[in-house]
Every structure is written in structure tokens, then in C-alpha cells.
Amino acid sequence: MCGIVGYVGGRPCRDLLIAGLEKLEYRGYDSAGLSLLEDGRIDSVRAVGNLSNLRAAVAERRDEGAVAVAETDATIGLAHTRWATHGRVTEENAHPHSDEEGDVHIVLNGIVENHSELRRELIAEGHEFSSETDAEIVAHLIERHYEGELTDAVRAAYAELRGHYAFVAMHVEHPGTLVGARHECPLVIGVGDGETFLASAIPAFLRETRTVMQIENGEIVTIGPDSVDVTTAAGEHRDRDIEEVTWDEDEAERGGYPTFMMKEIHEQPDAVAETITDRLPEVDEVDLSELELSAEQVAGIRRIVIVACGTSYHAGLVGRYAIETWARIPVEMDVASEYRYRDPVVGSDDLVIGITQSGETADTLAAMRLARERGAHVLAITNVMGSQATRDADSVLFTRAGLEIGVAATKTFTSQVAAIYLLGLWLAQSRGHIARDRVAELIAELKALPRKIGETIEATDQHVRAIARSHYDGRFFLYLGRHIGLPVCLEGALKMKEISYIPSDAYAAGEMKHGPIALLDETTPVVCVATESPVLEKVLSNMAEVRARGADVIAIGTQGSELEIGDSADQALFVPETDWILQPILAVIPLQLLAYYTARLLELNVDQPRNLAKTVTVE
Ligand code: AGP
């Protein structure tokens, strides 16, 4: 999730653009850059790392004598902070990108799914690429279609792209015009006095103007200092209302949400979509060629070991069901802080998967290194390019959730689960363990998940809020589940513990009668994950067991099972139907919300809970 800003107006804009980037750094920052157009030439500066490196690079260029950026009064420009998804963290891969002549410059947020085939086409036409990114494609496509009108060239390029993206383009022959396009990813217009901004989020220009215009999906916008022209992909003109933003700057950074955690809960549809979409180019085949695992290596995997901590460990537990059910490879799970000290038996025919959103968790890294030293092939599932985990692994599968600021992991959990579903299906297909039409069925279900996650948030939000109101002063929460529902319970209990500080426990429902049932009385809220699964009947009888002790059952079920769940629970929430193995990615949403609203009712800081750090780099 990158940050993009564009400006055209009457003021020198270099520092305006960099200030805009500072307000977008929460979107991710492994590199940054800007391009400025003045006196018929465009000059660019890019730097790896955060904005202080970009500022230093601008100063450096002063020394090298290139005046445009250092001394410029340019009043039109583009800028970008990057959260790498395609192409390593290098200066060449930083934005803005341009065509060979440097006449067209673009900044892009999102993913161009069909970048490989377009790149092949353009290279065949003689285009030369200077980066590994999917985004650079757009600059060459605009150059390909350019016949004097920038908007027309952008529209033609837009028609060839597939994916989730928003971009802004600048052309050396148009010193008073920027053209932007939006497809799924956010892009908004800031209207000033004799100046206009384009940005991926309002904070980028909120200090300069509070007057905004929204750009709808599939629209193209042409801006000048005093003009905004919104058109469709087909070229029809669209009128657009002006809105005044009342947010304060902090609120703006949270996208208008009260906290980063709530913002990140709502970003889950996009995070999952970006994590899966370009790995599902075909209707019946998963493409994980990025793992660079040969067919022999895949066929030779005798066992899989998943090591992780906290929420990442829970994602691994869900993944175990997918891998064992689809690929029939035995999966062993271990918390990394235990695995690294138990002298594990591991070797060359094992695939060891380290799951870590930050890519910096010391215990997980140590467990990965130990397995690698003992000959295992190590795969990291991580959200951060350039993180240590990417260096301690032989293969890397990136989730694409964007930067997660809330300490309590939400969108990185659902993205990890989505990534491990892809891995399970790819291993099954690569080892010929699953029929092509079954793969097609599951791919269709996977592609529907972003929409269903959005529906789940909408459908359960207010109901969960009401449930939290009746239980937030509870002294203990118990979560019960079976089979693939148990990891969801573990994750729900962890969220409740880490942000509401209420003692909470998750237990295999079948184990209740072997002890924990003694904990129950009429004051105990018991959250039961009873979504569609091969053991739903069993879960229903455990719910009856709990109710018989007077406890309050809050059930999470699958739409369509209202009758049997409704009779067995005091409160019931339902998530959309999907394949039982995919249910956890939906069932966890109401549990995230329950912990969230409970903590809010207790007036606790959900973004930065006590005693917790986002990344645990200590042993
Ligand atoms: C989850 O909400 C917590 N922040 C914590 O348990 C976290 O999942 C754990 O520290 C692992 O972090 P990682 O995914 O960055 O390795």
C-alpha cells in the first residue's frame, strides 16, 4: 500500500510534495521519490529508506550540480512512498517511473496483475525497462499511446491494465496538467485556490486545503491549477460534488476512523484482494512461481513444519487444515520460542514455513535459521519486503496487507490465512493431489473472499457492539471451537487479552468436560465458533453443555444455519457461506470486533496496548 501525491498550481511544490509524503508514511515506506517539471524538462530524485533519505538525496543532487530538484521553483510534480510488492527495495524500483526518454513520469499505488504479459509485449516493441516493478509498465503504455493528448494516452493505457491500482501521470509537454486514474485503489482530489492536488489519501494535502472531490472506481481525472475534469474509462464526462473535510490531522491519518485498528479491520478486503489476486491469473491454477521451488523439490517434501508466534501462529494452525486436506502433506506446528530450544528433528526433505508479519520476530527468525542449518528448505510468509525473514529464508511468500500500525494484528492475520490457502492449493495442484475442477471451485471461492469479508464487517459490526455492551465488564471470556474453528478461537481470545486486558481462554470444545467446564457460571460469556465444518454437530452439543451451566453462549455461525445455531445460543452472528476450510477468514472478523468494542468501552488504547510492542525483536 504505497502513498502517491501530485500537485499542479502556482507555488513551488517540491517541499509541498515531500510534506504530503510525510503524511502518507503510515502507508508504508521502504523507498520514496519525486519528479518535478520545469522549463521543459523533468528531473527526478529517488532514495531507498524513509523520507529523511529522500531529503538527503535532494541535498546531494545539489552537490552534484543538477539544479532542477535542488533549486527548483517547479509548480508541477509527482511524489511517492513505496511499500514494495513487485521488485526488490532498490533505488531503481522506487517511483516515479518513466519511459525511456523520460517524457512520461508516473507514480502508482496497487498492483498491475497482467504486468508480465504487457512487459513482454512492450519489450518486443523495443521498449527498455529500468526496473523490476509492475508499475513501470504504465509509463511505457502511456508513451506507446501518446499522440499529443495526455488524457487520451492515459485512457488508452488504462484500458490495457488489469489489477488493483491508482496512478498519476505527468508529461514533459504538459507543464499545467496531471492525469490520474483509479481502479479499486484510493485516489482523491484536493481543490485549492489556484492549485490542485491528487493523492491516495486526504492527509497528503489536508494542511493546504480541506476541499476535496472523490474519484469513483474506473474514473480518470485531468487536473490543472484551476480545473478538474472527471471522465469515465469510456470518456464520458462526470460531474462531481465538492466536499469539505472536518477531520483533524490525526483523524485524517486514520482515514476518518477513530483508531488505526478499526481502519485496519476495514482494510481487510483490500489486503486479502491484493494478497491473492495476481497469484490467481487463471480460473483453475494457482501461480506461486515466485517461490522458485522446483517440481522435484515440491514432490520431495515429506513433511511441513510451521513455526511462528502469536497471531501468526494462529494463521499457521488454519493453514495446517488447508495443506493437509488439499495436499495430504503432514503439517507439524510449533510456537517458535519452543521449537528453537527443543532440538527438533528436521532435515532436507522438510519444508519449514516461518510466518511473521513484521519479518523481524526474533524467536521465529531463530527457528527458521535452525531449520535451515539442518538442511530444511525454509519458506517465509511475511508482510515486509527487505525484512530479516526474507534473508533467513530460501523462498518468500509476501502478504500484501500494507503497513499495520495497530499492535493487535488484524489485516495481517487474514492476509496470512489467504496466503497459506494459496500455498495449500498450489502444493496440492503441483503434487497432483487435487482435481482441476476442484481447484477451479476453490479459486472462485477465494476470489469471492474480499467481498465476503466486507459483507461480514457490515453485517456483524453493530450486533457485536451490542454484545460487547452487555459483556465488557466481564471478568473472564471463554472461546470454544473444534477442528478448524479452534485456531479462530485462539485468535479471538488473544485479541481480547491483548487489547481489553480481560483474562480469556480458548479451548478445544471437546476438552471442556475434562476440566475447564468448572470455570463456567451464569456470568461467563462463552464465544463458540460454530461455522460450517465436518464437526458442526459436535460443536452444537458442546454449546448445549455450556448453556446447561447457565453461561451465556455467543455463537458465530454460517448463513443458512440460523435455525440450528439460533436454538443453541443466546446471541448468534452469521458470516457468509464459503468452503468450510475458508470459513476462518470470515469467522475471525466478529471476534476482532468483539475485542475492539470491549476495549473501547473500557476506554483503553487499542492501537498501543500496555506492555506490548508491534514487533518483538527480543529473545
Ligand atoms: C498479535 O496481535 C500480536 N501483535 C503478536 O502476537 C504478534 O502476532 C506476534 O508478536 C508475532 O509477530 P510477527 O507476525 O510480526 O512475527
Side-chain angles (χ1 to χ4, degrees):
M1 198 167 78
C2 306
I4 55 182
V5 197
Y7 172 93
V8 56
R11 292 191 278 165
C13 64
R14 182 194 62 207
D15 297 341
L16 275 177
L17 289 168
I18 295 179
L21 290 184
E22 268 155 12
K23 286 294 166 194
L24 294 178
E25 268 197 304
Y26 68 88
R27 299 174 66 84
Y29 49 81
D30 50 45
S31 55
L34 75 156
S35 290
L36 300 165
L37 165 48
E38 187 181 25
D39 303 337
R41 56 170 269 173
I42 300 180
D43 203 340
S44 231
V45 169
R46 303 181 290 183
V48 169
N50 62 30
L51 289 180
S52 55
N53 295 4
L54 181 64
R55 284 188 184 284
V58 166
E60 241 169 65
R61 282 188 79 98
R62 178 175 289 136
D63 304 341
E64 285 160 24
V67 297
V69 170
E71 314 296 341
T72 181
D73 294 331
T75 57
I76 179 169
L78 301 174
H80 185 273
T81 60
R82 183 173 187 234
W83 178 266
T85 59
H86 286 74
R88 291 161 299 140
V89 177
T90 63
E91 192 178 322
E92 293 69 36
N93 290 339
H95 298 215
H97 289 294
S98 72
D99 63 325
E100 294 92 325
E101 281 73 39
D103 293 342
V104 181
H105 281 236
I106 66 104
V107 287
L108 180 138
N109 166 36
I111 292 172
V112 176
E113 283 155 35
N114 56 340
H115 64 98
S116 310
E117 72 204 61
L118 287 170
R119 181 183 278 252
R120 282 192 296 277
E121 259 180 47
L122 288 159
I123 289 172
E125 287 169 20
H127 289 261
E128 283 160 26
F129 283 78
S130 57
S131 81
E132 303 158 340
T133 67
D134 54 329
E136 186 187 347
I137 301 281
V138 178
H140 294 273
L141 284 178
I142 294 171
E143 191 264 335
R144 173 204 258 179
H145 293 291
Y146 182 71
E147 293 163 359
E149 261 314 308
L150 181 56
T151 306
D152 295 348
V154 166
R155 198 184 315 287
Y158 180 86
E160 299 195 62
L161 300 171
R162 281 206 318 275
H164 284 73
Y165 52 80
F167 64 85
V168 181
M170 179 166 76
H171 193 286
V172 74
E173 292 173 7
H174 298 270
T177 305
L178 291 178
V179 179
R182 174 180 179 216
H183 187 72
E184 306 288 351
C185 285
L187 193 64
V188 63
I189 307 162
V191 181
D193 182 11
E195 58 188 20
T196 314
F197 293 82
L198 272 174
S200 13
I202 289 170
F205 53 68
L206 193 61
R207 274 213 192 120
E208 310 305 327
T209 177
R210 289 181 166 278
T211 308
V212 306
M213 292 166 88
Q214 301 296 343
I215 303 169
E216 300 306 331
N217 213 13
E219 290 182 340
I220 291 168
V221 57
T222 305
I223 64 168
D226 300 297
S227 64
V228 172
D229 182 27
V230 179
T231 53
T232 65
E236 287 144 35
H237 179 78
R238 282 275 180 282
D239 288 332
R240 193 51 33 89
D241 297 337
I242 288 242
E243 300 160 30
E244 286 301 318
V245 174
T246 56
W247 300 337
D248 65 34
E249 282 199 32
D250 283 353
E251 222 177 327
E253 248 177 58
R254 296 189 300 269
Y257 290 99
T259 63
F260 279 107
M261 184 175 176
M262 189 49 113
K263 172 178 172 287
E264 287 152 8
I265 286 175
H266 280 81
E267 285 173 346
Q268 294 185 100
D270 283 350
V272 168
E274 293 215 5
T275 297
I276 65 175
T277 310
D278 72 327
R279 281 115 177 206
L280 300 174
E282 312 301 334
V283 291
D284 58 2
E285 192 173 343
V286 180
D287 172 5
L288 287 186
S289 49
E290 65 204 272
L291 301 184
E292 294 164 354
L293 272 168
S294 68
E296 294 67 47
Q297 284 177 302
V298 173
I301 298 170
R302 180 182 57 83
R303 175 186 61 165
I304 289 178
V305 179
I306 300 180
V307 290
C309 303
T311 288
S312 296
Y313 175 76
H314 299 150
L317 286 172
V318 174
R320 173 166 65 176
Y321 283 92
I323 294 171
E324 291 195 340
T325 306
W326 295 332
R328 305 310 289 152
I329 304 173
V331 177
E332 196 183 288
M333 292 292 312
D334 214 338
V335 286
S337 52
E338 284 301 314
Y339 184 80
R340 58 180 299 193
Y341 296 115
R342 75 170 167 87
D343 190 14
V345 181
V346 62
S348 57
D349 48 13
D350 290 320
L351 173 66
V352 172
I353 304 175
I355 306 180
T356 165
Q357 79 84 18
S358 62
E360 305 292 347
T361 300
D363 286 321
T364 307
L365 296 176
M368 290 164 63
R369 287 188 200 124
L370 176 71
R372 207 176 188 198
E373 282 152 22
R374 297 190 176 186
H377 186 98
V378 173
L379 162 65
I381 297 182
T382 186
N383 195 49
V384 181
M385 252 210 197
S387 61
Q388 186 58 42
T390 63
R391 292 188 286 281
D392 288 338
D394 304 296
S395 303
V396 182
L397 178 54
F398 287 104
T399 55
R400 300 194 179 123
L403 187 63
E404 186 172 64
I405 292 177
V407 167
T410 52
K411 63 177 180 173
T412 53
F413 173 72
T414 42
S415 306
Q416 285 166 344
V417 172
I420 209 160
Y421 284 152
L422 291 176
L423 181 67
L425 210 44
W426 180 75
L427 288 169
Q429 121 198 334
S430 309
R431 291 162 68 108
H433 261 295
I434 192 168
R436 225 176 166 83
D437 53 4
R438 177 73 178 124
V439 175
E441 248 174 53
L442 287 163
I443 287 180
E445 286 289 345
L446 279 167
K447 285 187 170 172
L449 283 179
R451 172 176 54 75
K452 290 182 179 178
I453 292 172
E455 288 167 4
T456 306
I457 296 169
E458 287 319 304
T460 61
D461 185 63
Q462 288 315 306
H463 191 173
V464 174
R465 199 176 189 150
I467 292 172
R469 237 179 252 115
S470 44
H471 289 289
Y472 76 97
D473 53 358
R475 54 176 181 73
F476 172 66
F477 272 78
L478 183 64
Y479 293 73
L480 291 183
R482 277 179 180 257
H483 205 266
I484 202 166
L486 182 54
V488 181
C489 290
L490 289 162
E491 180 55 12
L494 176 62
K495 293 280 99 70
M496 186 61 83
K497 279 181 266 204
E498 67 179 318
I499 62 173
S500 78
Y501 316 153
I502 298 176
S504 309
D505 202 355
Y507 231 80
E511 276 296 287
M512 276 286 292
K513 51 189 171 296
H514 305 292
I517 200 160
L519 289 168
L520 300 183
D521 62 27
E522 57 291 337
T523 67
T524 317
V526 179
V527 180
C528 297
V529 173
T531 45
E532 198 48 51
S533 84
V535 293
L536 177 55
E537 290 307 309
K538 298 279 181 203
V539 176
L540 292 177
S541 54
N542 294 128
M543 285 161 63
E545 234 180 329
V546 167
R547 286 186 93 194
R549 270 88 189 153
D552 210 9
V553 172
I554 302 158
I556 314 295
T558 303
Q559 285 162 7
S561 63
E562 282 77 358
L563 272 184
E564 65 265 48
I565 303 276
D567 292 349
S568 320
D570 301 284
Q571 320 249 9
L573 300 134
F574 295 91
V575 301
E577 270 188 280
T578 183
D579 187 277
W580 68 264
I581 291 190
L582 307 184
Q583 284 280 332
I585 212 166
L586 302 175
V588 75
I589 306 281
L591 303 192
Q592 293 169 342
L593 290 167
L594 182 62
Y596 178 81
Y597 284 122
T598 303
R600 294 287 282 172
L601 286 162
L602 294 166
E603 294 170 2
L604 297 169
N605 178 345
V606 296
D607 284 341
Q608 184 48 67
R610 68 185 183 198
N611 310 339
L612 285 178
K614 181 65 187 169
T615 304
V616 184
T617 54
V618 290
E619 309 267 331

